[in-house]
Structures are given as C-alpha cells and as structure tokens.
Amino acid sequence: MMPLPEDIKGSCFQSGNKRNHEPFIAPERFGNSTVGFGSNVHSQAPEKVTLLVDGTRFVVNPQIFTAHPDTMLGRMFGPGREYNFTRPNEKGEYEIAEGISATVFRTVLDYYKTGIINCPDGISIPDLRDTCDYLCINFDFNTIRCQDLSALLHELSNDGAHKQFDHYLEELILPIMVGCAKKGERECHIVVLTDEDSVDWDEDHPPPMGEEYSQILYSSKLYRFFKYIENRDVAKTVLKERGLKNIRIGIEGYPTCKEKIKRRPGGRSEVIYNYVQRPFIQMSWEKEEGKSRHVDFQCVRSKSLTNLVAAGEDVLEDQEILMHHPPQVDELDRLNAPLSQMASNDFQD
C-alpha cells in the first residue's frame, strides 16, 4: 500500500504502532516463472489503481484483489472489470467503502496480502465486522486475529446464534405458528419447556392466569439457547426480519403441576401450583392490529345543518333547555354581586 505524495501527512499512514506497511503490489508473472529483481522488472511497470476511502488515497496493484474473486474488490477488479458498475471519477480514482474509515480499510487490506487481518488496538471489532461484511470478506477465527478475544467471540456467537435460531424457527416454532393460523388466530404465545418437564393440571381447578391459551414446546436445546439474553436479542432480530410484529421474548413462571390444595371458608378449594422459570416467545402477524383494538364508545351527531328548517328546530331546542334548566350561579358570583342582584336571585330561588 503506497500513499500518494499529498497523503503522506495523513493520519492513516502514521507509524505510531511501529508496523512496517509494505506496498500492496503483487509480482508480475510471465508463464510459470516469477520476474525477479533484474532488468525486466523495470521493462513493464505493474498496473496500479487508486482507491479513495474516507478522503485518503490508496495506490494498489489490482492483482492482489483478483486473487480473492469472492470478495467485492476481487469482483470489482477481476476479468469483467469493463462490466463493473463502479467507474473512476474524473481523476481516475475509485471512490469506494463509503462510511468506512481509512484506518479500518488499511487494516482490512492485510487480508489481500496475507489472508489474515490483524486487528490493532484502537479499532473496534464491530467496525471491523461491518467493513468485512461490506467487502464480502469472511469474518471468522481463521481470518481475524485480535487481542480482545471477548469482542471477537461475541461477534462469532452472534453469527452462530443467528444460524441456529433460523434452524429452530423452521423446525420447531413455525409448525406451532401454522397450527394457530389454521385456527384463525393471528398471534401466538409459546412456552419453551425442557424435555424432562411435565405438565399435570387439575381439570376442575386449572391455573387462573390463562395459561391454557399458551402453546407448549418441549425442547431442552431451545431452552438452553434462550438462557442468554444476547441470544434472545438475536432471535428478536430474526423474527423482525421475517416480518413478524409485537415480538416479546423473555423468561416467565409457568405452572407445571399442582403442589397442594387449600380449603377456603365456605367449602371453596384453592389449588396451589408449582411454577418453573421457562422462556417464552410471543409474536403476531396481524395486519390491521390498530383497527382490531379500536372501539367506538359513543356516536356524536354531526353539527352540519342541511337546511334552514333544521337550524330553526335546533334553536328552539336550545331555548327549551335554557327555560327548564337555567344556568347555575357560582357561589363566588353571589358574594361579589350587588345587593339588589343578590335579592333578585334569592327571590327566583
């Protein structure tokens, strides 16, 4: 990687971390032999392109990109470059990676040279992850090397949780949702129990909290998956991506079996249930949820008048109301009124 002369003073090319940044220029090859350092090296200069990232110019040999055709830059500067939608500007520079800092981009360029990205201190793993996703570079343990293992493993766990929940959604959760939809329901509440859990309710005295409307899913694997709050957040993201709404995922108490029966005064019995903390999923696919929950409590007659006869009738009705129901007089008005007016009001009363 070689900066242009005007960019030598840029912060992207500082040597504060004491790393030697060699130019990203691949050797020219002729046949099966590699050109050495003889006179033929200067006979044909390698092709170079200028990449403009975050206001910083990177002069590179495009051959380092073609060695990785599955990446964005590999396709961009591959054999079909003439069909590429990205065109250079008036200066012949390629403006790419909008929104990515030059420091992160310089770090990612190590991948095209060694196949490994060494993340230095000061660069966050989420930013590096976003850059790899943008450039279509695999973000895994074989590619990334960093000091902060916690941040790296967190990103890898998010990837694994996303793929794992996709499998759980298709194999375990979706069949229950389809069963609710066939009954005309437009929402679903699923409680995840372990394979060892058992539900034994008293038919005469069921739990008084509406658990009978919940769907039960026995899966110890899904139970362990929802044990982590990060996995629950990933699951919410997946469900939102699939178009579901009103998503709630958490831990709640669920009655499994009756523990004892208490006798209340009057001969009434009360069943005490044993509750266990288990994950639950609640979601909706209702399209008109706002209209379904809207209720008109009163109808107000329109004030618009269509003719003069109706207007006259309204005036007569208002006059009759005033005659039979005179306006009330506030006590403060009585105290502040003149004596003659107070006597008149008392006489009317």
Side-chain angles (χ1 to χ4, degrees):
M1 179 179 59
M2 300 178 61
L4 290 181
E6 58 269 27
D7 292 323
I8 294 179
K9 296 181 181 180
S11 60
C12 184
F13 301 97
Q14 295 178 358
S15 58
N17 54 3
K18 299 182 180 180
R19 293 176 57 189
N20 295 325
H21 300 285
E22 300 178 3
F24 287 87
I25 301 179
E28 293 287 336
R29 294 181 179 270
F30 296 91
N32 296 327
S33 62
T34 302
V35 178
F37 294 91
S39 59
N40 290 335
V41 175
H42 303 283
S43 61
Q44 183 177 0
E47 180 187 4
K48 297 179 181 179
V49 295
T50 302
L51 306 180
L52 185 60
V53 179
D54 193 26
T56 304
R57 294 175 176 83
F58 297 87
V59 180
V60 298
N61 186 342
Q63 289 186 2
I64 67 173
F65 302 136
T66 57
H68 301 274
D70 294 335
T71 64
M72 188 194 78
L73 294 178
R75 294 192 295 266
M76 181 175 173
F77 295 100
R81 190 190 309 182
E82 63 273 11
Y83 303 105
N84 200 305
F85 291 100
T86 305
R87 300 296 180 184
N89 57 19
E90 62 277 3
K91 296 182 181 180
E93 304 166 342
Y94 290 88
E95 301 179 8
I96 62 172
E98 182 179 358
I100 298 176
S101 67
T103 305
V104 178
F105 183 77
R106 181 187 63 183
T107 303
V108 172
L109 282 179
D110 290 341
Y111 172 79
Y112 294 97
K113 182 181 178 182
T114 63
I116 296 176
I117 300 176
N118 293 295
C119 182
D121 296 337
I123 295 181
S124 66
I125 294 298
D127 291 343
L128 183 62
R129 171 62 187 272
D130 293 340
T131 304
C132 290
D133 291 344
Y134 178 85
L135 298 175
C136 301
I137 297 176
N138 291 329
F139 187 93
D140 53 30
F141 181 73
N142 298 323
T143 306
I144 309 299
R145 297 288 186 273
C146 68
Q147 187 68 24
D148 191 356
L149 292 180
S150 176
L152 175 60
L153 293 175
H154 176 74
E155 293 295 331
L156 297 179
S157 294
N158 286 342
D159 288 344
H162 196 288
K163 296 177 182 179
Q164 192 66 46
F165 187 73
D166 278 334
H167 171 73
Y168 290 145
L169 179 60
E170 296 292 337
E171 298 296 329
L172 302 177
I173 301 175
L174 185 57
I176 298 178
M177 298 169 60
V178 172
C180 294
K182 289 182 177 180
K183 298 177 182 178
E185 299 289 341
R186 300 186 183 274
E187 57 186 356
C188 186
H189 185 99
I190 302 175
V191 178
V192 181
L193 303 181
T194 64
D195 296 332
E196 295 78 17
D197 290 333
S198 61
V199 178
D200 183 16
W201 292 352
D202 192 305
E203 296 181 359
D204 298 330
H205 302 86
M209 297 179 62
E211 281 83 359
E212 63 273 14
Y213 300 105
S214 301
Q215 306 296 323
I216 300 177
L217 172 60
Y218 292 95
S219 175
S220 297
K221 294 181 179 180
L222 188 57
Y223 164 76
R224 288 192 295 269
F225 177 85
F226 282 132
K227 180 176 65 175
Y228 304 101
I229 188 173
E230 291 90 349
N231 289 352
R232 298 199 292 267
D233 293 337
V234 172
K236 290 180 183 178
T237 302
V238 174
L239 294 175
K240 288 180 181 179
E241 292 173 353
R242 303 296 292 270
L244 298 173
K245 302 180 294 184
N246 299 329
I247 303 168
R248 293 178 60 240
I249 302 178
I251 306 294
E252 66 179 359
Y254 190 78
T256 54
C257 59
K258 60 182 179 180
E259 193 172 84
K260 58 182 178 179
I261 300 177
K262 285 185 177 182
R263 298 297 179 181
R264 295 295 184 183
R268 185 173 60 89
S269 61
E270 179 182 358
V271 179
I272 306 300
Y273 280 88
N274 177 48
Y275 282 77
V276 293
Q277 297 295 318
R278 294 294 182 263
F280 73 92
I281 314 172
Q282 183 174 341
M283 69 217 92
S284 169
W285 52 91
E286 185 180 4
K287 295 298 183 181
E288 302 292 342
E289 56 180 339
K291 295 181 180 179
S292 299
R293 290 165 176 77
H294 178 70
V295 179
D296 291 330
F297 289 99
Q298 67 178 15
C299 297
V300 181
R301 187 178 61 179
S302 175
K303 295 297 183 180
S304 60
L305 301 178
T306 56
N307 51 45
L308 295 178
V309 176
E313 292 178 354
D314 289 341
V315 172
L316 293 177
E317 290 179 1
D318 294 338
Q319 291 178 354
E320 291 179 359
I321 292 174
L322 291 176
M323 292 175 61
H324 292 86
H325 302 281
Q328 298 181 354
V329 180
D330 190 87
E331 294 296 332
L332 292 179
D333 294 337
R334 288 177 174 271
L335 295 176
N336 296 327
L339 295 176
S340 58
Q341 186 175 353
M342 291 177 60
S344 175
N345 290 338
D346 293 339
F347 178 75
Q348 292 178 0
D349 294 337

